[in-house]
Amino acid sequence: MKKNILLLCISALAFTACNQDQLDIAQKGVISMEQFYKTDADAQSAVTIVYYDTETNFSGIPEINGYNYGPYFALTNFQADDIFLAGSGSEDCVPEREFHDFRYANDNVVPLGGYTAFYRSIQKCNLVINNFTKEKLGQELTPTMQRCVAEARVMRAFDHMMLGIYFGTPPIVEEVLSVSAQPKNSESQAAVMQWVSDQIDLAIPNLDERKSTSDYNGAVKITKGFAYAVKGKALLWKKDYAGAKAALKEVIKSDKYALNGSIGSICHADSKGSPESVFEFNAVFVAGVVEDLSPRTGRNDIMTFNWRFENFASTPNDAQIKAGGWGWTNPTGDFARALIANDGMNSARRKAYIKTYDEILYNHQWPSDGTSFTAGITPTKQADATRGIATGKSMYANEGFWNWKTVIHADQGDWLKVGWAGQWNNNFRIMRYAEVLLMYAEACAMTSDEDANGKGQTGLKCLQDIQNRAGSAHVSTSLTLADVQNEKQFEMWQEGCRSVDLIRWGMTTTLQKQDSYVPIYKDKLAEGGTVHEGYVDASNADYYTKTFSNVGFKAGKHELLPFPRNVVQLNKGLKQNPNWN
Amino acid sequence: MMLSVSICTFAQNKHVIKGVVTDTKQEPLIGATVMVKGNSSLVTVTDINGQFSLSVPDQNQTMVVSYIGMTQQLVPITPKSQNLKIELSEDKLQLDEVVVVGYGTMKKSDVTGSVVKIGDADLKNLSTSDAAVALQGKAAGVQVLLNSGAPGKGADIRIRGMSSNSSNNGPLLIVDGLKVDNIQYLDPEMIESMEILKDAASAAIYGAQAGNGVVLITTKSGSKSKNGHIFYNAQFQLKSLARKLDVMNADQYIAYGKEVGFITDAVLKNSGYVPGTDVNWAKEVFTPTWSSHHTLGFQGGNDNGSYFVAVNNVNEDGIFKGDKDVYKRLSIQTNGEYKIKPWLTVGVNNSIEKWSTKSVSQQSDNGSALLAAVTSDPLFGPLVTDPATQLTVAQKTAIANGVAVLKNEDGLYYRVSPISGESQSSNPFIQRDRTDGSSDGINVRGLAYLNFNPIKGLVYTSRFGYRLSQGNNHSYSAPFVANDFVKSSVYNIQASANTSYYYQFENFINYNKTIADKHEVGAMAGMSFEANHSDGVSVTSEGADILKGYDPNFRYINYLLASAQKTVSNAPGDSKNMSYFGRLTYTYDKRYSIQGNFRADAYDSSKLPKEARWGYFPSVSVGWMLSNESFIKDNISEKVLSSLKLRAAKGRNGNISVLGGYPYATIINKNANWYQYDQTGAQTYGSVTNGLPNPELTWETSDQIDFGLEGRMFNGRLSFEFDYFKKETKGLLVSVTPVIETGVGSTMKNAGNVDNKGFEMVLGWKDKIGDLTYSVNANMSTLNNKLTYLDPSIKQIGGTSLQGSSIVTECKVGEPLWYFKGYKFDKFDANGMATFKDVNGDGKWDSNDVTNIGSGLPTFNYGITINLAYKGFDLLLFGTGAAGFDIIPQAWRVDRKYCNNYSWYYENSWTPQNTNAKFPAVKNWTKDAYSSDLAVFKGDYFKIKQIQLGYTIPSKITKKFMVSSLRVFASLDNFFTFTKYFGLDPETASANNSSSLGIDMGTYPTAKQATFGVNLSF
């Protein structure tokens, strides 16, 4: 009997243990779909993700291009004729250099990274635009909701415009897509640009406007000014110069933007939210709260673009310089010489954009200089083996000029000494007023010059303002397309304009020669000489043309990037661009 | 003097009965039990000569003489019972091994699946303290993968290959019925037997958890030691580097550097190189160390109860210089069982473990202590002896700025080579000392059970198992500078504490009955409920100034400054599952057996939606004992063929571990991220959906068939077992890239199939020649692993990509899991530059011409164990090997040309004189060359894992000291490795056991060790 009772007890216990309700475990830290997309706060919350997601995806998509650089910067700059992709040598940044000199296949990571980044942004925009509709809410949108939708609409338009510029006929995606979607190409590049323009028109009534040239917050969100700039750029690509002119005029006449006084701060912390900023993604270091800006400011730009210090004999102790870098972009000699010829050696822009070897050697403080330092050449410095290029080392893809525009300036507060390599204190810049002025000048040059604001701000004046601010020796006296083209190549160096401008203007000669001359730079002192003397070693400068048969831009093919292989394989609705497979 | 003492021999009217017990060959049986029938207090056992003596009060009784594996004999006691000769014969039924299967045991002859038993003979005196390692080379179809030779690093077990693209490829581990997360804690000395359920039919009883096989471990009990047994086993191991670190020496490195161009005579002169210096980094980095293992145990029992108590202490110090690679463990196993009523037995098994470990960094292509041992150049030593000339500029600058430059214990700075030091490796000791870290914890694992036996043949088992775990991690690092890559500008301190508990409650009934002699029926049915709960807190702080002080006694979270930024995390986690299971077995006339298993599993909502939480796992297997058929019995002598069985099995399992974290649910991640709309940096939070989750996700399912033939011949001297299996795993969880335009990076889908098939063979031979007894056991298994299906939307599953090479590991249809994809070498051109094959045949060679150039998963594994015993001496030889796999050594990188490299590359590089080379000219060590099959090497190896010589001191001598057995032994472990691979250890060369299998990024090698030990029992 006893044993039967025990048996019963155990069986009863077993039965209760098996209550299936125990398997329901609530998920922590999430809410259901039904609880969201309802209120003004939800709308603001949803559009905030548009900003976050766009900024971080433009800054880096590690799963595609490793952690070394941002896909936006790579897509918009790596194909330009005015930079070398350098790094440690021919074995470094290989896919990027393949992209640079047009021998890449359609699986190259650079187009894929860019394409992906834009569509990731578009999806977040669509989550706002599709969920805040009269049908879904059962009521009219509140002003806040309308503004949030409008901001998402402009971001989505910008994404499509960029896709249109690079890929020609990207699918226009206006819905949150399901897994099985197979969106088709848009009709034409022009159709994309027209769609962008129409979307901007829809959005503009509900957008805020930047309050003034000193309104920081108005530069780090989507405003009417940015919307018009996007519309202008899209119409410029559509070759609707009159339309472009009208849109860009709105930006100028709003009086909410102005060129910064000094060009030295362009691309640096000092110009965050500056008068010149039309739109940039904000990234502010807040001690103890927001300390990791790296996912927002170009994931690893601090290393990617900083000089290749490992090839120097030591690291400058200089207040301006931050040590450590991979030196991925060097100015080409052609660019540097053209800039010097155009602007003058001592122009503010030349000094802000590039450095010569002698400047690095003698105007920066190396450890051997001790604590007191005077810039300038001295015999001691000239014979100092612990500065400059190290014994046995050389600088790859370098003609004696170094990038200074897009590397950290420690003295400008660019460098946050947090984490492994530190991080950029920088905003992620999308549209600078100088570009607006140059686009306006171009639109005027292609049609007729006009005073944009009734205060004499003609296209020519726009151009001259930029040249004067640059301290350039060359100030235009008449407005021609050639003058705009000349100016834009300098002013917008490494700001995402060059390669697509050249293609748009049909000026592809230099692109055809890309990487046909890639010399290395050496120092005679490091080679056994007695004083520093940098020199170009061109002995292997034809490496790429010699090694690869397909270097350089090919007309009829490279006007557009290929839809990345991965994209075409997944999306059967998509037709590849001409001469790509 | 008798070896054993009778428990109770006093009585009045004593009659002393004497005799000897032998087997049929007249060999004395030691330890045979002689008992008066019906009076268990009148009992004795035979001594070393098989003799016994027993006082009985009354002559009209019967004696029961028994011995394990022998038929017991009843001997009537007569007045003449003074010089009895009792001969026991082998009991065929008893000899039949008992095999532990899920929720029960079976006779080996009735087993119809593929179950391997590893008995305690195979687990004795091993030089490992890890039960997983103990499995190595012992069972066909079981791979034990070590991915590090560092102390305290566990091994991974793979049964019949790799079925999942996830890292969840390990078998279900059950110790005495308790599900455990690892068996590293379990010293082989504690183990009675290990059973491996390889085929799906055997493993199906564990359903959704058994897709990768099951390892069942039974710890020791006291039931076999009725007179009590005390044992003490000790081992002292002298470990040292097993193989040569075969990197370029100074002459080679200088010649290499000159050829590449980074070394010139001027460079050498300026660098402070002292001509003639040739640093052997192996000597600098590795040093012989002592480790020790001790086990003290107590065993005993009687008809009603038994106990086993053992204490095990492990103290391991790795061969990397210094005490930063150690593993310490103290564990206590207490097993007890008592029959409190004829129908009720209760028992508990408990293991209490305390462990602590420290480790040095390895396997990273961004620099680690072990990688630095390979890549450091031979020109400059590890220490700065003259700071004025030997510190680098970066070091001097750091010192001038008050930033730490690491020093050794004697206050000497670590030297950074001005040539190779400017890399991610810098100096092995800097890598070792840049962070101080340690982990420790306590684990309690155990279960308590009741066995009811209300009627004959029926046992109702109710058991409650539990695991309590508590673990801590600490790490601390301070700002320092070695070079541009290896440095830190901040302090970092981390601490975490994790506690978790797990319990399982299981109830099942076993019923066995033999009907009309010929029908053996067995049935089992039961339920199980499992619950896991974990809770942990971790705190990290990093910054330029975070602690109140930086002396060692301040390096705790407690002393963080109020201003220090902290990252804190905590969220308890739960998972639960329940199951019903059952088994039916039927054997007819000891000839035909059939078995069916079934399990239904349900998992909690963190894994599967409510509607789809149940899964069902059936299996069936059949056996045919050919040797019991008359057509064999009548024609073949039993002495030639003693047993022969044919079996076949088919079943289904699942792998649930791939699911977790509500993968099916579409939700809103609330306040997931933020944007700063304001110049002040104020954060505005935003919420967003979690992409495109797939509500149809389910576990991986494996269907497996198995055919086996096993038997024994020549009086049991030869045993053999052959198995063929084919396992098809479906529903691999694959991260599918949806159309890029969705803007969603990935979504999960059950969209991949893997086939594993192979042939397994076990052969054993044992015999005796005079005083020499010997046995040879060998096993081997082949494995053919292949991905057979992948969702059409993806071409491949990407795995590991290397920084210095374009080789990636991936899964692709038709290829083994995680094969290496790279270029195929064609020929060298006139300059010794490698050219590569146009694999896709489009007329040009480019990045599309990549193909399978190797795989890190062995396709052939084997092991051999030889035992010899002669008088008091015994010799054990144990070797194991793997073949059919490749390794990619990833130390040197094209973008770090100054790094040292294995000398193989230099010696086999193309030169104008040696155009028939294996590697391009030194100048043309391009990324492409390192991305091709030129950089892939055969990993095949055979290791003699153990050569052990023991001597048992004659009991004549030892019994004077009350010692029943004393054995001393010495052993050479891992002394001999046969391989063509030039890295430190082909066995541990893998960066991990899934997607980086076969990638050697600076491995911690298995040490060779000279072991001295003693086995003592009282």
Side-chain angles (χ1 to χ4, degrees), chain A residues 238-525:
Chain A
K238 200 190 162 211
K239 299 192 173 10
D240 175 357
Y241 299 107
K245 191 160 74 175
L248 295 163
K249 191 188 264 184
E250 295 291 329
V251 189
I252 297 167
K253 78 175 185 195
S254 73
D255 270 344
K256 310 297 187 217
Y257 306 93
L259 292 176
N260 292 350
S262 158
I263 195 161
S265 65
I266 298 301
C267 295
H268 298 283
D270 282 356
S271 71
K272 289 169 78 166
S274 66
E276 197 164 338
S277 172
V278 179
F279 179 54
E280 56 197 36
F281 288 105
N282 204 19
V284 183
F285 182 85
V286 185
V289 182
V290 179
E291 294 210 325
D292 186 8
L293 298 184
S294 59
R296 293 163 196 259
T297 58
R299 188 163 289 271
N300 221 6
D301 289 359
I302 190 168
M303 289 299 287
T304 310
F305 303 111
N306 213 6
W307 304 339
R308 194 92 199 171
F309 283 93
E310 64 170 2
N311 293 339
F312 284 138
S314 63
T315 302
N317 254 344
D318 191 84
Q320 287 186 301
I321 287 177
K322 180 239 165 253
W326 298 319
W328 270 31
T329 63
N330 288 331
T332 61
D334 284 345
F335 173 76
R337 287 183 290 271
L339 176 65
I340 291 165
N342 186 74
D343 282 15
M345 191 68 185
N346 292 318
S347 70
R349 184 158 64 190
R350 199 286 296 168
K351 287 181 178 169
Y353 281 19
I354 61 171
K355 288 231 179 246
T356 65
Y357 186 46
D358 281 357
E359 283 174 321
I360 292 173
L361 273 176
Y362 305 122
N363 295 351
H364 285 285
Q365 190 173 0
W366 294 76
S368 54
D369 295 325
T371 46
S372 68
F373 174 72
T374 322
I377 187 164
T378 66
T380 317
K381 290 182 187 173
Q382 279 183 299
D384 176 11
T386 69
R387 66 204 305 138
I389 295 169
T391 309
K393 304 271 172 88
S394 60
M395 288 290 172
Y396 188 69
N398 189 305
E399 294 182 58
F401 303 98
W402 273 258
N403 176 14
W404 186 235
K405 184 182 185 184
T406 68
V407 302
I408 273 195
H409 294 184
D411 61 338
Q412 285 207 12
D414 285 358
W415 184 21
L416 299 168
K417 294 179 189 181
V418 180
W420 169 62
Q423 347 166 349
W424 269 98
N425 174 23
N426 209 350
N427 282 348
F428 197 97
R429 295 188 168 76
I430 299 296
M431 182 66 72
R432 183 154 75 88
Y433 189 49
E435 189 183 351
V436 173
L437 295 180
L438 285 163
M439 289 193 294
Y440 183 71
E442 183 182 346
C444 287
M446 297 302 289
T447 51
S448 60
D449 203 355
E450 270 177 43
D451 181 353
N453 58 1
K455 298 177 196 165
Q457 195 62 35
T458 59
L460 178 61
K461 178 73 172 21
C462 291
L463 194 60
Q464 289 168 339
D465 284 355
I466 287 169
Q467 290 164 333
N468 286 325
R469 195 267 304 265
S472 175
H474 175 79
V475 179
S476 300
T477 51
S478 64
L479 180 66
T480 64
L481 179 62
D483 261 42
V484 177
Q485 287 168 340
N486 183 60
E487 184 56 30
K488 197 174 183 187
Q489 71 163 315
F490 300 123
E491 178 66 20
M492 299 307 292
W493 185 56
Q494 291 200 85
E495 289 188 78
C497 294
R498 181 64 177 167
S499 61
V500 285
D501 273 346
L502 288 177
I503 293 167
R504 182 165 61 92
W505 293 327
M507 297 164 66
T508 58
T509 319
T510 50
L511 297 177
Q512 288 163 27
K513 293 188 185 141
Q514 210 121 294
D515 279 351
S516 58
Y517 178 76
V518 184
I520 57 176
Y521 197 70
K522 292 180 169 174
D523 185 331
K524 288 188 178 160
L525 181 70

Side-chain angles (χ1 to χ4, degrees), chain A residues 174-292:
Chain A
E174 297 182 275
E175 300 289 333
V176 177
L177 296 182
S178 71
V179 178
S180 56
Q182 302 271 294
K184 290 192 164 54
N185 299 68
S186 49
E187 236 172 79
S188 64
Q189 191 182 49
V192 175
M193 298 307 164
Q194 190 56 51
W195 179 87
V196 169
S197 168
D198 295 345
Q199 288 288 312
I200 300 282
D201 290 344
L202 267 178
I204 277 176
N206 297 318
L207 289 170
D208 289 346
E209 182 158 40
R210 192 185 196 190
K211 294 194 180 77
S212 69
T213 53
S214 59
D215 177 12
Y216 184 104
N217 296 357
V220 298
K221 70 171 190 176
I222 291 164
T223 56
K224 285 190 163 77
F226 176 58
Y228 279 121
V230 172
K231 181 177 176 182
K233 188 165 181 171
L235 293 179
L236 201 61
W237 246 264
K238 200 190 162 211
K239 299 192 173 10
D240 175 357
Y241 299 107
K245 191 160 74 175
L248 295 163
K249 191 188 264 184
E250 295 291 329
V251 189
I252 297 167
K253 78 175 185 195
S254 73
D255 270 344
K256 310 297 187 217
Y257 306 93
L259 292 176
N260 292 350
S262 158
I263 195 161
S265 65
I266 298 301
C267 295
H268 298 283
D270 282 356
S271 71
K272 289 169 78 166
S274 66
E276 197 164 338
S277 172
V278 179
F279 179 54
E280 56 197 36
F281 288 105
N282 204 19
V284 183
F285 182 85
V286 185
V289 182
V290 179
E291 294 210 325
D292 186 8

Side-chain angles (χ1 to χ4, degrees), chain B residues 6 16 64 73 80 86 99 301 315 322 383 460 519 557 626 644 732 818 820 831 835 883 912 928 1001 1004 1009:
Chain B
S6 56
V16 179
V64 184
Q73 266 202 36
K80 288 178 188 168
I86 302 157
V99 176
N315 199 335
L383 294 170
Y460 183 117
H519 308 274
I557 297 292
L626 283 159
L644 184 67
L732 261 56
W818 307 124
F820 309 148
N831 298 314
T835 59
D928 292 334
M1001 295 190 284
Y1004 200 116
Q1009 55 191 44

Side-chain angles (χ1 to χ4, degrees), chain B residues 731-869:
Chain B
L732 261 56
L733 275 199
V734 175
S735 171
V736 179
T737 309
V739 174
I740 305 292
E741 291 86 356
T742 57
V744 175
S746 65
T747 181
M748 298 305 287
K749 203 170 170 183
N750 289 102
N753 296 354
V754 172
D755 273 13
N756 284 284
K757 55 191 172 192
F759 176 71
E760 296 162 357
M761 181 170 82
V762 183
L763 287 174
W765 179 267
K766 56 181 178 188
D767 206 350
K768 190 172 174 182
I769 308 168
D771 282 340
L772 175 75
T773 56
Y774 69 96
S775 69
V776 181
N777 288 293
N779 66 74
M780 57 130 274
S781 53
T782 66
L783 178 68
N784 184 334
N785 171 280
K786 202 178 271 185
L787 189 83
T788 54
Y789 169 80
L790 208 52
D791 189 81
S793 73
I794 46 170
K795 278 258 155 110
Q796 68 270 320
I797 308 169
T800 300
S801 42
L802 303 174
Q803 290 189 20
S805 134
S806 317
I807 295 178
V808 295
T809 65
E810 65 175 32
C811 302
K812 189 178 177 184
V813 172
E815 306 287 2
L817 290 186
W818 307 124
Y819 77 100
F820 309 148
K821 186 170 87 174
Y823 302 127
K824 200 104 191 161
F825 169 71
D826 185 12
K827 57 181 188 291
F828 294 115
D829 70 9
N831 298 314
M833 176 99 151
T835 59
F836 304 95
K837 285 186 179 147
D838 170 20
V839 172
N840 63 5
D842 62 356
K844 60 177 195 287
W845 172 78
D846 60 16
S847 64
N848 296 317
D849 293 305
V850 283
T851 185
N852 181 344
I853 54 168
S855 160
L857 183 67
T859 56
F860 188 69
N861 283 74
Y862 54 102
I864 181 163
T865 308
I866 299 172
N867 278 294
L868 298 168

Side-chain angles (χ1 to χ4, degrees), chain A residues 24 91 115 220 291 565, chain B residues 565 613 675 741 848 927:
Chain A
D24 298 327
E91 300 296 330
Y115 193 85
V220 298
E291 294 210 325
R565 184 183 297 170
Chain B
Q565 196 191 17
R613 63 169 48 139
Y675 182 71
E741 291 86 356
N848 296 317
K927 185 169 181 177

